[in-house]
């Protein structure tokens, strides 16, 4: 089983057409990653704290429809986090968040079932306290148990009150990370270098570069790149989260995850992300589409 931990929220995205309406869509980086893994046919569980309000029910219904196990989801009466998305001419998305007193912030450290092979964490869940401390403890504990861990910081600067403290905390996570995946925008904001991050612990770093594709660097010094697939872009919402899922799907499904066929893994992730970009909102592909 793969466990994805982190927030589930509602993206308010612009409706098609000239009207200035916002449509509620299920979202959140970890939520999208879990949804994508379920659609790819993986055995996956979502680990979070979700509101008992109507949005919370909609979020869980979406996961269950994709075959995601929701037994690790904690519930609470606090409202669901909202993210207001604005989409640029190139389809790129920017967000403003409404997180004060929301349910996912009160996540507490759970016990995971036996047989967990992978754990993915990232985005707002590792920023907003008190839940961030619980997710960090989950990362450290499961890494110590030998679980393959993926970290996607998916940096949201507007939520980070003390950037220097966050950057230092990020470096403290790396000894517990098997695979670090981040965008070139995240890398520029965080500072440092791929060499520095690899030396701190991860076996590999995958850097996504939007229309320019993606690159992996490994601890052994190997480097591989693939181009992005050319598609008509509706928006890029959920594309990076789909990459997370595609990487985990191929790596943990390989005969030897320690020595993967990186060009094939990256190509699969690029195809999956491209399909997501052709659809409005976070709508990752199903296995049959790939």
């Amino acid at each position: 089983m793969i466990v994805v931990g982190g927030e589930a929220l509602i993206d308010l995205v612009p409706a098609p057409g000239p009207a200035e309406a916002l449509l509620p869509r299920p979202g959140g980086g970890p939520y999208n990653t879990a949804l994508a893994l379920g659609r790819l046919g993986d055995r996956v569980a979502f680990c979070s704290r979700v509101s008992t309000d109507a949005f919370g029910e909609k979020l869980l219904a979406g996961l269950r429809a994709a075959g995601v196990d929701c037994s690790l989801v904690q519930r609470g009466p606090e409202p669901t986090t909202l993210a207001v998305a604005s989409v640029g001419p190139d389809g790129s998305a920017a967000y403003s968040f409404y997180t004060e007193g929301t349910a996912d912030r009160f996540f507490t450290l759970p016990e995971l079932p036996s047989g967990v092979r992978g754990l993915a964490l990232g985005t707002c869940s590792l920023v907003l306290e008190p839940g961030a401390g619980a997710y960090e403890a989950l990362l450290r504990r499961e890494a110590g148990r030998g679980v393959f861990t993926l970290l996607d910081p998916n940096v949201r600067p507007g939520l980070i009150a003390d950037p220097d403290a966050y950057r230092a905390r990020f470096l403290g996570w790396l000894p517990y990370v098997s695979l670090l995946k981040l965008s070139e925008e995240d890398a520029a904001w965080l500072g440092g270098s791929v060499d520095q991050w690899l030396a701190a612990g991860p076996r590999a770093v995958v850097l996504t570069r939007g229309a320019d594709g993606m690159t992996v660097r490994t601890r052994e010094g190997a480097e591989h790149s693939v181009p992005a697939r050319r598609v008509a872009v509706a928006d890029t919402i959920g594309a990076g989260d789909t990459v997370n899922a595609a990487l985990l799907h191929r790596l943990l499904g390989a005969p030897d995850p320690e020595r993967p066929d990186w060009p094939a893994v990256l190509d699969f992730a690029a195809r999956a992300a491209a399909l997501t970009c052709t659809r409005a909102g976070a709508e990752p592909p199903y296995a049959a589409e790939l």
Side-chain angles (χ1 to χ4, degrees):
M1 174 184 282
I2 301 171
V3 173
V4 182
E7 76 280 355
L9 52 79
I10 292 294
D11 286 329
L12 298 176
V13 300
E20 297 182 359
L22 293 172
L23 300 177
R25 298 278 179 83
Y31 178 93
N32 296 336
T33 298
L35 184 74
L37 281 165
R39 290 185 176 185
L40 290 174
D42 289 282
R43 186 167 171 247
V44 56
F46 188 55
C47 184
S48 183
R49 190 170 187 275
V50 174
S51 177
T52 54
D53 66 14
F55 281 146
E57 293 301 324
K58 180 179 178 66
L59 288 163
L60 293 186
L63 291 175
R64 293 185 180 116
V68 178
D69 182 342
C70 295
S71 62
L72 294 174
V73 174
Q74 303 163 19
R75 305 299 301 274
E78 304 84 8
T80 297
T81 294
L82 301 178
V84 179
S86 59
V87 178
D90 61 351
S92 61
Y95 300 89
S96 57
F97 293 89
Y98 296 84
T99 64
E100 190 63 36
T102 52
D104 48 14
R105 297 189 67 161
F106 299 98
F107 173 80
T108 57
L109 179 65
E111 281 298 325
L112 300 187
S114 60
V116 172
R117 300 172 58 234
L119 172 68
L121 295 171
T123 318
C124 310
S125 57
L126 286 166
V127 176
L128 300 172
E129 296 291 3
Y135 284 113
E136 183 175 310
L138 182 64
L139 171 66
R140 294 172 184 267
R141 188 189 70 196
E142 297 306 310
R145 293 175 174 175
V147 171
F148 184 97
T149 57
L150 179 147
L151 173 66
D152 176 13
N154 201 10
V155 177
R156 305 301 189 201
L159 291 178
I160 300 173
D162 187 338
D164 289 338
Y166 177 85
R167 292 181 180 110
R169 196 172 187 180
F170 164 74
L171 293 177
W173 297 327
L174 297 184
Y176 306 93
V177 173
S178 305
L179 174 62
L180 173 64
K181 174 262 172 183
L182 70 173
S183 68
E184 60 183 354
E185 294 84 4
D186 290 339
W189 189 91
L190 287 165
S193 67
V194 173
D195 287 336
Q196 177 189 5
W197 301 329
L198 285 169
R203 303 173 196 172
V205 175
V206 171
L207 185 69
T208 60
R209 294 178 279 109
D212 295 322
M214 65 185 82
T215 299
V216 65
R217 287 265 306 278
T218 71
R219 192 187 298 166
E220 294 74 27
E223 181 172 333
H224 305 281
S225 296
V226 298
R229 296 299 179 102
R230 301 299 172 185
V231 295
V233 175
D235 61 50
T236 63
I237 297 172
D241 311 320
T242 300
V243 170
N244 294 340
L247 292 173
L248 287 169
H249 175 77
R250 277 300 178 92
L251 291 171
L252 295 181
D256 186 357
E258 295 285 341
R259 286 183 285 275
D261 180 352
W262 274 113
V265 171
L266 294 183
D267 182 68
F268 180 78
R271 288 190 287 122
L275 275 174
T276 303
C277 290
T278 65
R279 303 159 175 170
E283 288 292 344
Y286 292 86
E289 298 177 274
L290 295 167

